[in-house]
Amino acid sequence: MIRADVEIARIHPELHGQFAEHLGSCIYGGLWVGRESPIPNTNGFRADAVRWLKELGVPVLRWPGGCFADDYHWRDGVGPPKSRPRSLNVSWGNVIEDNSFGTHEFMELCRLIGAEPYLAGNVGSATPREMRDWVEYCNQPSGTTLSDLRISNGAKEPFRVKYWGVGNESWGCGGNMPAHYYGELYRRYSTFLHDIGGTELFLIASGPSGDDVRWTRELLDVCQTHMPAGLSMHYYSGGPAEATHFSAKQAEEQFAIFQSVEQAIIHQREVVNGYYHGDETALILDEWGVWDATDPIDEQKRGKLWQQSTMRSAVAAGLGLNLFNRQADKLYMCNIAQVMNVLQSLLLTDGPEGKNSVRTTTYFAFMLFKAHRGNMSVMTRADSDSPHSVSLSASRTDRSLVVSLVNSSATKAVTVRCKILGFPGTRVSGQMLHSNDLNAYNSFEQPDLLHPTTFSPRLEDGVLIVELPPLSVATATVEA
Ligand code: AHR
């Protein structure tokens, strides 16, 4: 049943955010090929990637990590590229980081694809001064040495960066800190991070892995007088097999994790709300997605954590995006890991030298959910006789009701009948991504094998009827 008259909350477009890290071939050879590259590019960015990300719309892009963020020194990445230092990326395989992609390149990418930048600052191996200076470099209009340096490096206007992560996974790769110690650091850092040049900062503290309540409580006990604007949590759905070798049982196990993700969001929200003004701290799932087993040979050729995105991955994306809609009152931002060539990516190239790129099944799952952005999420209820494998969410404007349905069964087709209350629908249309093969994917030889196609849902006496084949992600749009 869909109760279009029972509103949950507005769906922040930021729930469809992305993440790009200096890891494998996400940045170098992926998004960034350099201006001299034989690969078609726009100001050094892979032209296909720019076009496709712009078409999809990326509400917010997080950078430079991940683990990399806590070993990143922003000054290394500004100024003439040739004179930038060369360092080691110790977080991801000791590869040489030539810093040719830095703050200005990232801002240019955000400008090209229309994304709001989200910078993750270094708490693990830097100082409050370093992060405070980065804020000044980015946001002060002019007149200080740092802002004048930005201008002389080619950016007359300030970057006006609002979202700042204060460290990443501080319980792990960000410094292996105990929660209370990180809490003290958070207080110290945030004291020196100020609104500058009229840009109001939105500081995001490094929150729990999964539903680690102990971390959240110990951190917030220390921060109660300095509650962060956002608390970041990370939740991956691990995979026991390589992306293209899943059995139906393994897929089922991976899909089941999304129920735990949803429970973790509900639970963490409850915990944070228990603090004074806690309800003003936004919950941010800034790393999520399926993390499958990787093939070391593939990784060597294509980059660390390079993973194919299959029909199963699209179903997983649909399960995630559906639950974000349902929990729209508890979540402010989510960033899938990662936008290109790493983990559950939206775009893939055949390694850093690969000329061709493809839009993955995950890209198309995001496309199918695009119509929800900014809408009011409304209540849905899987009726008692609905098959367990169907996941559902809905959102509305005055003129339309958007319904997303995911059938995660690898074998069973289902007919979903959904009574709609509170929205007088007259017409309905639909788009669906589907393959009977859970390991099917868009290859470089067949880049458009899987893409959404139109299908015909029905509307009969206020009941929405959708035939869902096994492994399908569908969106039905009901118009008033
Ligand atoms: O997304 C890959 C890694 O996963 C990130 O660098 C880290 O934050 C997390 O453990």
Side-chain angles (χ1 to χ4, degrees):
M1 179 189 292
I2 298 170
R3 291 289 310 264
D5 52 338
V6 183
E7 299 184 342
I8 297 174
R10 182 176 167 268
I11 296 171
H12 293 281
E14 288 82 357
L15 299 192
H16 295 187
Q18 302 290 329
F19 168 35
E21 179 168 10
H22 289 232
L23 194 183
S25 53
C26 179
I27 300 286
Y28 297 112
L31 294 163
W32 175 250
V33 291
R35 290 183 179 82
E36 313 305 327
S37 172
I39 296 171
N41 67 84
T42 312
N43 304 344
F45 298 95
R46 218 177 248 275
D48 278 348
V50 169
R51 182 163 46 86
W52 286 332
L53 292 177
K54 210 170 152 189
E55 269 166 28
L56 174 66
V58 175
V60 55
L61 184 61
R62 177 174 183 248
W63 174 84
C67 298
F68 181 78
D70 280 290
D71 189 43
Y72 182 63
H73 301 281
W74 68 268
R75 279 187 172 84
D76 294 350
V78 300
K82 288 216 163 67
S83 46
R84 295 183 194 173
R86 292 164 72 80
S87 46
L88 281 185
N89 182 340
V90 293
S91 306
W92 299 109
N94 283 349
V95 294
I96 291 177
E97 166 63 62
D98 70 2
N99 284 297
S100 54
F101 189 97
T103 304
H104 288 253
E105 289 75 20
F106 175 64
M107 295 302 163
E108 172 64 358
L109 173 63
C110 289
R111 191 189 66 77
L112 286 170
I113 62 174
E116 186 75 31
Y118 167 8
L119 295 179
N122 181 343
V123 170
S125 68
T127 59
R129 175 74 197 249
E130 183 170 332
M131 190 165 169
R132 169 242 171 270
D133 283 355
W134 203 10
V135 176
E136 183 180 322
Y137 183 86
C138 289
N139 291 355
Q140 169 68 15
S142 63
T144 65
T145 305
L146 283 169
S147 56
D148 290 345
L149 179 63
R150 183 200 68 241
I151 295 169
S152 71
N153 284 334
K156 188 158 177 301
E157 293 302 319
F159 295 132
R160 298 193 182 87
V161 181
K162 173 165 117 182
Y163 298 120
W164 292 85
V166 183
N168 166 75
E169 295 194 354
S170 303
W171 39 263
C173 66
N176 283 307
M177 305 174 196
H180 66 89
Y181 176 72
Y182 168 70
E184 281 157 20
L185 282 186
Y186 176 83
R187 286 170 58 137
R188 182 166 167 227
Y189 271 66
S190 57
T191 305
F192 301 99
L193 305 175
H194 286 272
D195 300 348
I196 295 178
T199 300
E200 202 178 318
L201 299 194
F202 188 109
L203 300 183
I204 299 163
S206 168
S209 169
D211 192 17
D212 183 353
V213 174
R214 194 193 49 81
W215 175 272
T216 305
R217 283 197 203 286
E218 282 184 33
L219 164 63
L220 296 185
D221 283 350
V222 177
C223 291
Q224 358 207 345
T225 51
H226 296 75
M227 286 294 275
L231 182 76
S232 119
M233 56 190 283
H234 292 177
Y235 209 137
Y236 287 98
S237 310
E242 281 170 32
T244 53
H245 293 85
F246 266 66
S247 67
K249 190 165 179 299
Q250 287 168 326
E252 214 174 281
E253 280 163 18
Q254 188 175 64
F255 297 153
I257 300 173
F258 285 90
Q259 287 168 19
S260 313
V261 177
E262 191 158 11
Q263 285 316 309
I265 289 163
I266 296 169
H267 194 201
Q268 289 290 323
R269 187 67 271 168
E270 229 172 69
V271 172
V272 180
N273 284 1
Y275 287 81
Y276 186 57
H277 285 310
D279 56 345
E280 290 164 24
T281 293
L283 208 54
I284 292 183
L285 182 66
D286 55 15
E287 289 187 29
W288 73 278
V290 295
W291 188 319
D292 302 331
T294 43
D295 167 18
I297 297 176
D298 241 20
E299 282 198 300
Q300 243 176 26
K301 188 173 146 222
R302 293 168 160 158
K304 233 180 168 41
L305 301 188
W306 192 100
Q307 148 187 323
Q308 190 48 264
S309 179
T310 63
M311 188 60 226
R312 167 198 47 87
S313 323
V315 167
L319 294 176
L321 295 169
N322 253 352
L323 80 87
F324 301 163
N325 283 351
R326 291 193 295 264
Q327 305 304 332
D329 54 339
K330 305 180 187 67
L331 286 168
Y332 179 87
M333 186 197 294
C334 302
N335 307 69
I336 193 167
Q338 301 192 3
V339 66
M340 190 161 196
N341 284 344
V342 169
L343 298 176
Q344 193 176 356
S345 37
L346 277 78
L347 305 175
L348 282 177
T349 66
D350 196 8
E353 261 96 61
K355 249 203 157 106
N356 301 326
S357 30
V358 293
R359 288 167 293 178
T360 66
T361 53
T362 298
Y363 177 97
F364 288 117
F366 268 73
M367 253 319 183
L368 284 171
F369 277 77
K370 190 175 171 180
H372 289 289
R373 293 183 197 168
N375 288 2
M376 177 57 67
S377 171
V378 295
M379 203 179 94
T380 53
R381 205 185 58 209
D383 297 327
S384 52
D385 58 347
S386 290
H388 181 67
S389 60
V390 173
S391 143
L392 179 67
S393 78
S395 71
R396 64 170 291 174
T397 63
D398 289 343
R399 291 180 312 276
S400 61
L401 178 71
V402 184
V403 184
S404 285
L405 307 105
V406 180
N407 179 7
S408 58
S409 165
T411 49
K412 290 191 194 90
V414 283
T415 303
V416 179
R417 286 190 176 77
C418 246
K419 176 96 190 131
I420 300 175
L421 295 179
F423 188 88
T426 55
R427 275 173 304 156
V428 62
S429 56
Q431 289 266 313
M432 182 187 289
L433 181 67
H434 153 71
S435 166
N436 281 328
D437 177 1
L438 56 91
N439 292 316
Y441 60 91
N442 287 337
S443 66
F444 301 105
E445 295 72 38
Q446 284 184 288
D448 292 317
L449 183 69
L450 294 165
H451 61 271
T453 51
T454 54
F455 78 104
S456 302
R458 301 193 312 277
L459 208 51
E460 287 173 13
D461 299 329
V463 176
L464 173 69
I465 303 170
V466 182
E467 314 281 348
L468 288 175
L471 299 168
S472 53
V473 181
T475 295
T477 306
V478 183
E479 268 154 290

